[in-house]
Amino acid sequence: MVLANFLGVVLLMELIAGGFRFGADGLSMNYYVFNCPLAEPILRSTVTSALQSDPTLAAALVRMHFHDCWIQGCDGSILLDSTKDNTAEKDSPGNLSVRGFELIDDVKEQLENQCPGVVSCADIIAMAAREAVSWSGGPVYDIPKGRKDGRRSKIEDTINLPFPTFNASELVRVFGQRGFSAQDMVALSGAHTLGVARCSSFKTRLSDPVDPTMDSDFSKALAKTCSGGDNAEQPFDVTRNNFDSFYFQALQRKAGVLFSDQTLYNNPKTKAIVNNYAMNQAMFFLDFQRAMVKMSLLDVKEGSKGEVRADCRKVN
């Protein structure tokens, strides 16, 4: 934890020295310090309480943040409910297992009571993911705030989510299109140190012939998991609720759950990064928090391009 705090300070010092280069005008670390000074304490207390009751929410919150930012930018679009005239992002096949919406609602309700119309749902997602990472033992970092909520959420946009069947070259390409390096991509993939995958996302690896990039004993373990059906869950590593480097060590043992996990160890360009992170957790933590800050700035909406929703599930 001391090391994680030190790395967070290093990152913050880099941002200050760099003139707060957040790539989006109007965002700042202290965005709510005057207009809603209790925003962060309220969010932190609420998220921490929820994580203590259900540690598996940590993975869910990080995943929600990624799925939000990847589609239309970090604008809270994943929170919008479908209507009779529109099927929203959250109802796409790739998002049906996303959860944590009730926790976001809880935080939002408290913040609306404290300072109505100030804290965006997009910021709540980003801050909740940050809290989930640090609570589970990962790096302590901060993110700029001031995102506005988007007004569009359409199921067809989720076709752009990375698929669990992508190989390393495809992952490098799709992440590169959004300005991420191969190292950023591998670091962000390390979020799979938390959580589980459902059988439906990896069962094709067990088809005849069985994926040869898997350890034979591990393929048997996955087959046993899938005997419970498509919704049966397999942890990504042996410490599903702890943020650590065990995910990368699993890839070295050919025990990556998804094809898109194990492929990182099969490609020479990404294998070296996996090996570095497996051996040096501090390096992984530093690169992960940098990549998370970078991701949190994807296509941020400001001013009239967005709004601060009163209810995260519907536009104003």
Side-chain angles (χ1 to χ4, degrees):
M1 179 58 73
V2 172
L3 179 59
N5 275 291
F6 172 74
L7 292 176
V9 171
V10 170
L11 178 65
L12 183 57
M13 288 176 66
E14 287 182 355
L15 291 170
I16 293 172
F20 291 88
R21 294 190 300 268
F22 299 136
D25 295 334
L27 271 66
S28 73
M29 294 293 190
N30 299 319
Y31 188 84
Y32 296 116
V33 71
F34 294 118
N35 56 5
C36 193
L38 294 180
E40 298 229 28
I42 288 172
L43 179 139
R44 182 171 294 113
S45 174
T46 306
V47 171
T48 297
S49 177
L51 289 169
Q52 289 170 341
S53 298
D54 180 7
T56 67
L57 271 176
L61 292 172
V62 175
R63 184 165 182 251
M64 179 189 289
H65 182 37
F66 177 83
H67 281 230
D68 181 43
C69 291
W70 206 255
I71 307 300
Q72 300 294 316
C74 306
D75 65 351
S77 55
I78 195 169
L79 302 175
L80 290 172
D81 286 338
S82 295
T83 66
K84 60 183 179 64
D85 301 316
N86 177 67
T87 304
E89 292 173 26
K90 65 166 54 171
D91 290 322
S92 75
N95 282 334
L96 290 179
S97 59
V98 174
R99 62 193 182 90
F101 298 111
E102 293 79 9
L103 173 56
I104 303 299
D105 290 338
D106 186 9
V107 174
K108 179 61 173 176
E109 182 179 0
Q110 293 184 59
L111 293 180
E112 283 299 301
N113 289 334
Q114 181 70 31
C115 35
V118 175
V119 183
S120 69
C121 302
D123 271 352
I124 292 173
I125 295 177
M127 290 189 287
R130 177 200 65 193
E131 294 303 313
V133 170
S134 62
W135 184 87
S136 55
V140 177
Y141 63 96
D142 201 2
I143 53 170
K145 276 77 71 175
R147 299 161 191 77
K148 292 296 190 291
D149 298 321
R151 301 182 181 94
R152 172 190 172 98
S153 183
K154 293 185 176 295
I155 189 173
E156 56 263 31
D157 294 337
T158 60
I159 192 67
N160 294 315
L161 284 169
F163 286 90
T165 54
F166 277 6
N167 62 36
S169 296
E170 291 171 314
L171 289 169
V172 169
R173 177 181 57 81
V174 298
F175 275 77
Q177 290 171 346
R178 283 169 166 75
F180 294 98
S181 66
Q183 188 151 321
D184 292 332
M185 180 272 290
V186 177
L188 288 172
S189 296
H192 282 177
T193 183
L194 297 173
V196 300
R198 292 185 177 182
C199 173
S200 57
S201 63
F202 59 78
K203 66 180 181 180
T204 56
R205 303 184 72 197
L206 304 172
S207 304
D208 192 22
V210 173
D211 184 347
T213 67
M214 275 193 297
D215 173 77
S216 59
D217 287 339
F218 186 66
S219 67
K220 293 174 184 175
L222 292 187
K224 182 178 180 180
T225 296
C226 283
S227 66
D230 279 359
N231 289 328
E233 296 177 339
Q234 175 71 34
F236 283 114
D237 68 23
V238 295
T239 57
R240 60 176 285 181
N241 296 324
N242 295 340
F243 198 100
D244 50 38
S245 60
F246 283 16
Y247 163 79
F248 296 106
Q249 294 171 21
L251 302 188
Q252 291 178 316
R253 298 192 306 271
K254 299 183 178 180
V257 176
L258 303 179
F259 179 81
S260 57
D261 291 322
Q262 193 59 52
T263 186
L264 301 178
Y265 195 67
N266 300 331
N267 183 296
K269 184 174 184 178
T270 52
K271 182 176 183 178
I273 305 171
V274 170
N275 285 333
N276 285 337
Y277 290 162
M279 180 177 61
N280 190 336
Q281 181 169 282
M283 179 188 294
F284 164 48
F285 278 20
L286 186 58
D287 287 350
F288 179 82
Q289 64 190 40
R290 283 172 170 163
M292 284 291 279
V293 172
K294 190 173 181 178
M295 187 182 76
S296 77
L297 299 174
L298 278 177
D299 300 323
V300 168
K301 294 172 177 61
E302 298 175 275
S304 61
K305 294 182 179 178
E307 62 185 16
V308 175
R309 291 182 213 136
D311 181 340
C312 288
R313 293 176 180 263
K314 59 186 180 182
V315 298
N316 290 343

